[in-house]
């Protein structure tokens, strides 16, 4: 089995970025390091906290960082998980995918380029 590098990214679905940004800035004590109409990202104590508008997400998703996304998908699906969203490049070679556990909980995995 491959190990993870921990949960370093948590994405939150929001309906109004302009209303959500100051709330998360106050919570985290930092201003956004990425601010666009489709994603606002904060870097706080080694954590990436992202705000995602107009998404099909129904709750926050924690993304476990991995070194080999395909190997981790194989391990999770062989253990009884199901692939929800296949890996996709979200920019600069960063790959993300989501799976579900047997209860339908969403598991995010993320691979940064080497």
């Amino acid at each position: 089995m491959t190990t993870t590098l921990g949960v370093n990214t948590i994405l939150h679905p929001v309906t109004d970025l302009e209303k959500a940004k100051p709330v998360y800035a106050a919570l985290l004590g930092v201003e956004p390091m990425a601010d666009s109409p489709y994603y606002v990202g904060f870097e706080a104590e080694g954590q990436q906290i992202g705000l995602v508008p107009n998404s099909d997400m129904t709750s926050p998703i924690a993304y476990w960082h991995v070194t080999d996304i395909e190997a981790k998908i194989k391990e999770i699906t062989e253990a009884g998980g199901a692939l929800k969203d296949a890996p996709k490049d979200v920019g600069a070679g960063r790959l993300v995918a989501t799976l579900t556990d047997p209860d339908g909980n969403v598991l995010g995995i993320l691979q940064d380029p080497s």
Side-chain angles (χ1 to χ4, degrees):
M1 267 197 290
T2 60
T3 61
T4 72
L5 303 172
V7 174
N8 296 326
T9 303
I10 302 173
L11 301 183
H12 296 264
V14 298
T15 56
D16 187 325
L17 277 176
E18 294 309 310
K19 288 183 179 177
K21 277 193 288 190
V23 171
Y24 283 86
L27 170 68
L28 301 169
V30 296
E31 292 300 314
M33 50 76 114
D35 193 344
S36 69
Y38 60 89
Y39 179 81
V40 173
F42 296 86
E43 177 80 34
E45 299 298 322
Q47 294 287 312
Q48 278 282 329
I49 306 299
L51 307 179
V52 183
N54 308 315
S55 159
D56 64 352
M57 296 167 50
T58 57
S59 65
I61 299 175
Y63 281 81
W64 294 85
H65 288 229
V66 299
T67 56
D68 185 339
I69 200 166
E70 293 295 341
K72 187 52 68 181
I73 288 170
K74 184 175 188 282
E75 290 171 2
I76 294 169
T77 55
E78 287 177 354
L83 184 63
K84 182 177 184 308
D85 296 303
K88 65 181 173 187
D89 189 321
V90 294
R94 176 176 264 193
L95 301 175
V96 298
T98 54
L99 298 99
T100 56
D101 71 9
D103 290 307
N105 296 304
V106 178
L107 309 170
I109 56 175
L110 182 154
Q111 177 186 318
D112 278 320
S114 15

